[in-house]
């Protein structure tokens, strides 16, 4: 049960409906503020530092874009800001959100029959102290050998252009997925177990 007298307010820095749904498993009261941040990265080569930086920058953007003009005072007080960034990585190459259906098909063809990992970086930022905690969770996903027809049908029907790697595992069955090794919520984009750990470390009382 949440201790409403001791806890700071929770702000989720994400527009993702999947994250909105998953956070409700651990926190019942929270506000959503969309981060204003350019997620473009300079290289397609994956490192933990790259995704950690993206996640934290999302949380910081909430503070930086909600200040009293000229005063430098953040409008959010007594808050813990949660942000996250998810990537699909194959052979150390980052697969982000596809720009169109053609690129989505290309991504899924490259992932077909192989094992890749999905990594989510989660950040918790204290709006008052500006102290932050960031950690990563990795889950290994093995795809079946996917036919061109199955890939084309999936991209056409599910429109996965808003998803890293051009897929949402919650939409897929055994004809797509051979094995998942690790946290399934992480693949969806919000590992609630890790989020809860970071919130507790930041002083939140459940």
């Amino acid at each position: 049960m949440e201790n409403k007298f001791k806890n700071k307010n929770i702000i989720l820095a994400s527009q993702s409906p999947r994250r909105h749904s998953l956070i409700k498993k651990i926190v019942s009261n929270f506000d959503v503020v969309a981060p204003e941040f350019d997620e473009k990265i300079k290289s397609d080569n994956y490192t933990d530092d790259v995704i950690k930086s993206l996640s934290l920058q999302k949380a910081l953007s909430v503070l930086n874009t909600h200040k009293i003009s000229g005063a430098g005072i953040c409008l959010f007080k007594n808050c813990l800001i949660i942000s996250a960034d998810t990537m699909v990585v194959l052979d150390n190459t980052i697969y982000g959100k596809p720009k169109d259906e053609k690129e989505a098909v290309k991504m899924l063809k490259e992932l077909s029959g192989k094992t890749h990992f999905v990594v989510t970086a989660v950040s918790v930022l204290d709006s008052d102290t500006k102290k932050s905690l960031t950690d990563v969770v990795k889950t290994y996903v093995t795809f079946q050998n996917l036919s061109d027809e199955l890939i084309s049908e999936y991209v056409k029907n599910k429109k996965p252009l808003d998803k890293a790697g051009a897929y949402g595992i919650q939409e897929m069955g055994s004809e797509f997925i051979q094995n998942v090794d690790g946290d399934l919520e992480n693949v969806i984009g919000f590992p609630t177990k890790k989020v809860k750990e970071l919130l507790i470390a930041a002083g939140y009382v459940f």
Side-chain angles (χ1 to χ4, degrees):
M1 179 179 296
E2 297 173 29
N3 186 324
K4 297 180 180 179
F5 297 100
K6 292 183 179 179
N7 284 336
K8 294 197 171 192
N9 299 316
I10 297 295
I11 294 176
L12 178 62
S14 175
Q15 293 180 296
S16 166
R18 298 174 294 279
R19 289 178 179 144
H20 296 176
S21 176
L22 285 170
I23 194 175
K24 292 176 183 178
K25 294 179 66 174
I26 56 172
V27 178
S28 59
N29 297 313
F30 62 95
D31 294 309
V32 173
V33 179
E36 298 181 18
F37 172 65
D38 185 357
E39 297 184 43
K40 290 181 181 179
I41 54 177
K42 295 179 180 179
S43 172
D44 289 336
N45 294 325
Y46 175 78
T47 66
D48 284 354
D49 287 342
V50 168
I51 193 169
K52 284 182 176 180
S53 176
L54 286 175
S55 175
L56 181 56
Q57 290 302 315
K58 285 183 179 181
L60 289 170
S61 76
V62 171
L63 291 183
N64 294 333
T65 57
H66 292 83
K67 290 180 177 179
I68 298 174
S69 180
I73 301 173
C74 182
L75 298 178
F76 294 119
K77 295 295 182 182
N78 196 41
C79 293
L80 292 175
I81 301 169
I82 303 171
S83 58
D85 197 272
T86 300
M87 292 178 177
V88 169
V89 182
L90 174 67
D91 298 331
N92 210 50
T93 298
I94 298 169
Y95 284 62
K97 298 174 184 177
K99 62 184 178 183
D100 52 31
E101 291 190 0
K102 182 178 179 180
E103 186 173 35
V105 168
K106 178 177 181 291
M107 287 183 176
L108 290 173
K109 284 184 177 182
E110 291 176 357
L111 295 173
S112 175
K114 299 175 183 175
T115 298
H116 62 273
F117 69 83
V118 180
V119 55
T120 300
V122 177
S123 298
V124 173
L125 173 66
D126 189 305
S127 65
D128 299 323
T129 66
K130 309 301 187 293
K131 291 181 179 179
S132 64
L133 298 168
T134 302
D135 206 352
V136 298
V137 179
K138 294 178 183 177
T139 302
Y140 291 82
V141 179
T142 303
F143 271 22
Q144 305 280 17
N145 290 309
L146 308 178
S147 67
D148 290 351
E149 182 181 4
L150 185 62
I151 290 173
S152 296
E153 183 178 323
Y154 174 78
V155 171
K156 179 180 179 181
N157 293 333
K158 299 301 182 181
K159 307 292 185 184
L161 303 186
D162 64 334
K163 299 177 178 69
Y167 77 92
I169 199 166
Q170 67 275 16
E171 305 166 344
M172 294 177 157
S174 58
E175 72 271 29
F176 287 92
I177 306 300
Q178 184 182 115
N179 187 59
V180 177
D181 182 9
D183 186 348
L184 180 60
E185 288 183 347
N186 178 54
V187 185
I188 299 172
F190 201 69
T192 58
K193 182 179 179 181
K194 177 58 66 177
V195 174
K196 188 173 182 178
E197 288 177 3
L198 292 178
L199 284 174
I200 290 172
Y204 193 83
V205 180
F206 285 90

